[in-house]
Amino acid sequence: MLAVCVLALALVVASSAVVALVRSPHRADGTGTGDTATSARHWVNTWSAMPQLTEPHNMPPAPFTGDRAVLVDTTLRQTVRVTTGGDRLRLRFSNAFGGSALPLTAVRVALPLDGRAGVGAIEPGTSRPVTFSGRRSTTVPVGAQVVSDPLDFALRPGTNLTVTAYLAEGQASLALTSHPGSRTTSYLVHGDHAEDADLSGATPTDHWYLLSDVEVLSRPAATAVAVLGDSLTDGRGSTTNGNNRWPDQLFDRLQRQPGTRHIAVVNQAAGGNRVLNDGLGPNALARLDRDVLAHSAVGQLIVFEGVNDLGTAEATPAAQQRVAADLIAGYEQIIVRAHAQGIRVYGATLLPFGGNTPYDDAAGHREAARQTVNAWIRGSGRFDAVLDFDRAVRDPAEPSRLLPGLHDGDWLHLNPEGYRLLAEAVPARLFRRG
């Protein structure tokens, strides 16, 4: 009888321990909440900018770039537009291309004045300090990134967020990590003004520096679609501070439908980027792990890249046949690697560039290569779905060219209306639950 009682007591103790473990209110990653319905929430990447090595003409303007260091005793204020929302956030800062360690003295988040993008002022009372392993400052090693501690800060879908960083020492190198094609205005001022409500007298610059990601703790259904692309996805031809690149407009469209409101859109594009060879930033095959596979909650990937590979290859039959074949092989590699992580991959056809200097060639060899690549995207069955962007914006009367009213003047990049048509060409059913 005594043995039975001891056994019963042990079972009660064990059961209590299991319940306590399940109901534990805190976890190191900030996801523990104390009830089953919300403990399944997870981190979702809600905004991103592809890290690049900053070219000399895109460095911070004088006097914020010196002879041997950059951003010394400088406050940097930037706005970014998140996609899906959440009630907790964390930031990622990248030193992927830095030539020295990156010391961040203080970082704060806030809501921008009137909720606008590209403003140097914040809404009073919304500023909050960001910590790293419990500390107000951190140092990002060369080639690395740092993830902040989770911070209680509610963000609605489509909200603009202000991130302010102060660097007392700056970075002791002229190799700086940035995303030049921000199409969003940032602000620089000397001294520690991280807590200031308005950076009066600050120097504006249309680039993002150092900040690479914003993540939110979101509901279980929330996932992200990442976009691997070049300047057509980075938004050349879109409106500065307008957030009307085609991924922005895709997100807006998905938000209007209840069945797709759980989708975050993560823009991993850069002007001049290529699939096969480095250009402005590492080639897509080299950056796939960093920019897509390592990101939180990515469930789908859109591949819309390759026009720069065709346009920079020699305009001869042999060279264009070779680059088309290599592009197709590159797409297959992306598909295989993404599928290994459970990510569905959607291929977008390449847009026409007839009339563009220097990509259009009189003999039409690059156009022939584009047709070869697009035929494979449409017909190979290798992608999980096809987005026929070419069909959405080409001129039916002259299919090697864009419709005249949709480009920004160079017959290659689109205007906001052209980007709207790309967003409309993405079937919403690809993202619906169930």
Side-chain angles (χ1 to χ4, degrees):
M1 184 66 176
L2 179 61
V4 173
C5 290
V6 171
L7 177 59
L9 179 61
L11 289 173
V12 170
V13 171
S15 176
S16 299
V18 170
V19 171
L21 180 62
V22 171
R23 293 181 178 173
S24 175
H26 299 292
R27 282 174 48 181
D29 63 359
T31 58
T33 60
D35 69 80
T36 305
T38 57
S39 61
R41 293 184 306 167
H42 62 166
W43 289 103
V44 179
N45 202 145
T46 186
W47 173 86
S48 189
M50 173 189 150
Q52 298 173 244
L53 175 63
T54 312
E55 308 98 317
H57 64 280
N58 287 325
M59 292 291 285
F64 303 100
T65 296
D67 294 333
R68 299 184 179 180
V70 64
L71 300 176
V72 176
D73 187 29
T74 296
T75 296
L76 166 65
R77 179 164 287 175
Q78 310 180 95
T79 61
V80 300
R81 188 196 190 212
V82 305
T83 51
T84 194
D87 56 11
R88 306 194 87 190
L89 65 77
R90 62 188 185 190
L91 309 177
R92 293 179 183 250
F93 287 88
S94 176
N95 194 22
F97 299 97
S100 67
L102 171 65
L104 299 171
T105 309
V107 175
R108 300 184 72 90
V109 296
L111 296 178
L113 187 66
D114 298 327
R116 292 181 292 146
V119 296
I122 60 174
E123 286 288 348
T126 65
S127 181
R128 299 288 183 273
V130 176
T131 60
F132 304 85
S133 300
R135 297 173 294 181
R136 294 290 182 96
S137 25
T138 189
T139 298
V140 191
V142 173
Q145 66 171 223
V146 67
V147 185
S148 77
D149 298 331
L151 173 67
D152 290 331
F153 196 95
L155 287 171
R156 295 189 307 275
T159 301
N160 286 305
L161 175 71
T162 297
V163 179
T164 306
Y166 172 61
L167 295 82
E169 302 173 38
Q171 187 162 20
S173 167
L174 296 184
L176 179 69
T177 303
S178 71
H179 188 85
S182 66
R183 276 87 201 177
T184 306
T185 306
S186 302
Y187 296 87
L188 300 160
V189 63
H190 274 141
D192 182 359
H193 298 278
E195 298 187 42
D196 290 9
D198 191 0
L199 297 187
S200 57
T203 300
T205 183
D206 290 342
H207 307 300
W208 285 316
Y209 298 105
L210 310 178
L211 182 68
S212 62
D213 298 279
V214 178
E215 298 172 301
V216 291
L217 192 60
S218 195
R219 57 195 185 278
T223 60
V225 54
V227 186
L228 204 60
D230 49 38
S231 56
L232 286 161
T233 298
D234 205 26
R236 180 168 170 178
S238 64
T239 307
T240 299
N241 300 318
N243 286 317
N244 54 16
R245 313 163 189 84
W246 76 260
D248 298 307
Q249 298 194 60
L250 172 62
F251 169 74
D252 292 337
R253 178 172 160 240
L254 296 177
Q255 279 293 298
R256 291 193 291 268
Q257 304 179 33
T260 54
R261 288 177 184 161
H262 62 291
I263 295 292
V265 180
V266 179
N267 189 336
Q268 292 289 31
N273 200 244
R274 294 184 286 185
V275 173
L276 304 171
N277 297 299
D278 291 352
L280 296 181
N283 66 78
L285 292 171
R287 66 186 180 91
L288 181 67
D289 289 273
R290 182 197 70 188
D291 291 347
V292 177
L293 305 186
H295 281 256
S296 302
V298 171
Q300 298 98 8
L301 167 63
I302 295 173
V303 180
F304 179 39
E305 189 162 4
V307 68
N308 291 323
D309 296 81
L310 300 179
T312 56
E314 191 177 359
T316 65
Q320 288 299 310
Q321 289 167 15
R322 182 168 57 252
V323 74
D326 289 347
L327 262 180
I328 290 168
Y331 294 148
E332 289 185 315
Q333 285 292 306
I334 292 170
I335 294 165
V336 167
R337 289 164 60 188
H339 280 174
Q341 301 300 317
I343 297 172
R344 295 177 64 81
V345 187
Y346 309 142
T349 51
L350 303 183
L351 305 191
F353 44 79
N356 173 261
T357 303
Y359 282 8
D360 187 17
D361 64 291
H365 299 309
R366 292 192 178 111
E367 171 63 14
R370 186 182 74 89
Q371 294 292 349
T372 297
V373 171
N374 280 352
W376 183 88
I377 291 172
R378 291 186 181 108
S380 69
R382 297 286 284 124
F383 286 106
D384 296 296
V386 174
L387 315 179
D388 206 339
F389 284 178
D390 170 42
R391 186 182 301 274
V393 296
R394 73 190 181 199
D395 186 345
E398 197 171 358
S400 65
R401 289 177 175 249
L402 296 167
L403 277 165
L406 298 181
H407 66 87
D408 73 344
D410 67 356
W411 294 96
L412 176 64
H413 299 97
L414 300 179
N415 57 29
E417 174 61 14
Y419 288 133
R420 184 189 68 80
L421 292 179
L422 295 192
E424 292 289 335
V426 181
R429 61 177 170 77
L430 298 176
F431 309 103
R432 290 195 181 103
R433 287 169 287 195

